[in-house]
Amino acid sequence: ILQMMKVNKLDTNLVCVGSIGKSRGLVGEFFLNSFCDPQDNILNYTSVLIEGHEDLQLAYIKKFNNKFLSKIRSIDNIDLLKGYTNLKLFINKSELPSLEKNDFYWHDLIGMRVIDCNNNDELGEVAEISNYGSNDLLEISPSGSSVDSKKRQIPFVKKIFIIEIDPENKKILVDWPKDF
């Protein structure tokens, strides 16, 4: 399953799959940070776009020990590469492999309504998914039909807090009281 950091706001057909890390050597190679799960899935994508530089292309992505190395085609020195460090790497959603039933991508959850299973209150909509170390968090923003205007973060723990995901009706049933 691909974990999405943030979708490029300009093109919702793109999904972030990684970022440009620190340089390696003197010829423009860099360590690529993969946001895929498993991380090796980054090797499967052919058309990777660089944030803000759609005219640039990656020459290759290869595994190097437990990390990934890559190079931008037209950049052959370390000084030019420094300006690209930390930029996000995107692919088109159409390149993602199809999933089994009951599996989904994080970007599919964005915009889904979040309903508390205890009393059927709508808590808001999923604005984004973050991870601060221990586990993923659904970041919920209030919507027009929310019970209040409170922003929430709900840990993405299935069968404890996340009871059911209904992609057809674009809703997530959670065990999360509105006063929490």
Side-chain angles (χ1 to χ4, degrees), residues 106 134-138 154-165 172-176:
W106 286 145
S134 62
N135 58 343
D136 297 311
L137 293 172
L138 294 180
I154 301 175
F156 193 88
V157 181
K158 283 186 170 181
K159 297 182 181 168
I160 294 176
F161 302 121
I162 307 300
I163 306 306
E164 180 184 355
I165 298 172
I172 300 172
L173 195 60
V174 297
D175 187 0
W176 198 262

Side-chain angles (χ1 to χ4, degrees), residues 32-101:
L32 186 149
N33 303 309
S34 173
F35 301 153
C36 299
D37 184 13
Q39 289 189 335
D40 285 1
N41 281 357
I42 194 77
L43 299 168
N44 299 333
Y45 305 120
T46 56
S47 301
V48 177
L49 301 172
I50 299 169
E51 175 184 19
H53 300 277
E54 287 76 19
D55 55 323
L56 296 177
Q57 296 179 338
L58 296 184
Y60 56 81
I61 300 173
K62 62 184 178 181
K63 189 129 184 182
F64 178 75
N65 296 328
N66 289 330
K67 299 181 179 190
F68 301 95
L69 279 180
S70 190
K71 183 174 180 327
I72 300 172
R73 280 191 205 274
S74 59
I75 297 180
D76 294 323
N77 76 55
I78 191 172
D79 293 325
L80 285 174
L81 181 63
K82 286 181 182 177
Y84 297 91
T85 303
N86 296 324
L87 290 181
K88 303 287 189 256
L89 302 173
F90 294 88
I91 63 164
N92 196 301
K93 287 180 184 177
S94 63
E95 281 199 69
L96 294 171
S98 48
L99 298 174
E100 300 289 323
K101 186 176 166 108

